[in-house]
Amino acid sequence: MANSTFTLTNACVVTPNGTLCDGVVRVENGRIAFIGKRSELTEAQQLGWAPDAIDAHGGWVLPGFIDLHVHGGFGSDFMDATSDAYNAITKFHMEHGTTAMLATSMTQSREALDRVMVAVDDYMKQGMKYTQLAGVHLEGPFVNPKYKGAQNAEFMIDPQIGWFEDWHARFPGLMKQVSLAPERNNALEAIRWLRAHAVNAAAAHTAATYDEVTRAANAGLNQAVHTFNAMTPIHHRDPGVAGAVLTDDRITAEIIADGIHVHPACIKMLTRSKAPGKLVIITDAMSAAGMPDGQYDLGGLAVTMRHGVCRLTEGDSLAGSTLTMIQAFKNMVNFVGLTVPEVSQLASLNPAQQIGIADVTGSIEVGKQADLVWTDSELNIQRVWVKGSTHM
Ligand SMILES: [Zn+2]
């Protein structure tokens, strides 16, 4: 039921200025109008807001999650390039707390990527009912076959500034992130072009050395895709991409916090290395997320899911995850030991800042969109609102 004016009471509200328990959040016409303690409400507020009050029963009220790296869910993939597929993906992830996301493409032909750009642009213009698409994240095809993971090596090429110029002209502002291997020819020029056009440049599926990543960061590289996965690992005499990501403050690190792609100890190492504003949790979810075990497709490659873990059917490579943002959030609390407000920053404010939407969403502050997640005290989702509307 859509309802864009209401009052959440009896909540632990996580805000950038601290957590308010016995808190109240007033939403009017889809925006946050008031945040405070119930004991501090005026009589007029108590009386006026009582009719549309929702008792949060002492649970958490968090800013909606923002997923910068998600390929699909509930049987659909962004490469499908249809509004039915995009409704299925955004409904599924909204139910798991995501209120904004980047539609993430796979390594595929220019024509296939073009279809995704057209479809996402259309979908955003039609008005979105569930999780809001904030733009496109192109994961490849400008990556290195040596660390191909579950991406199709057949389509991997050097970065093509001509493609970026064409998409930028046809769909201004739609490209929000391009993930590439910084050791490829033209990578530094591509990174400079991307950053000059307000697009994140991320290191992904890369065999680069530590020095190559440092040179890329000097050119503007500002993000690393699924840290530790599909990149050169740390050796104490050869710190590789992972060593550069851990130690270079210019690079915001993505992490798949499912406990399968990266050992919890390595996630802990990452949280201790990165400044609090330089880490984001992502799902890297594929179409199999929310579905039973079986056979799926990921960018044209066959994937088998067993016990919720996806691997390429040929070979053994981990394919995308079946993670949801709320599960990643719980894992960061339960296996990694962060507090709920600490994880909230990694799930909402940091990704909002990274793609330049923190003026409208990413935290619970007066004037921002009411993109909210209400959970019980064990972080089980009770309800999610996107711009003050719920469809659960
Ligand atoms: Zn991915």
Side-chain angles (χ1 to χ4, degrees), residues 69-71 104-106 137 139 151 205 225-226 254 256 282-285 298 320:
H69 190 154
V70 49
H71 297 278
T104 307
S105 61
M106 294 292 294
H137 166 188
E139 189 181 9
Q151 300 271 6
H205 296 271
V225 165
H226 41 54
E254 296 179 0
I256 306 174
I282 56 156
T283 63
D284 198 13
L298 181 63

Side-chain angles (χ1 to χ4, degrees), residues 69 71 139 149-150 205 225-231 254-267 282-286 298 303 308-312 316-323 331 335:
H69 190 154
H71 297 278
E139 189 181 9
H205 296 271
V225 165
H226 41 54
T227 302
F228 298 116
N229 296 119
M231 62 174 59
E254 296 179 0
I255 188 77
I256 306 174
D258 63 354
I260 297 162
H261 282 74
V262 179
H263 191 285
C266 290
I267 302 179
I282 56 156
T283 63
D284 198 13
M286 61 166 290
L298 181 63
V303 167
V309 178
C310 294
R311 292 181 184 275
L312 290 183
D316 196 34
S317 230
L318 276 172
S321 83
T322 56
L323 192 60
N331 294 345
F335 319 152

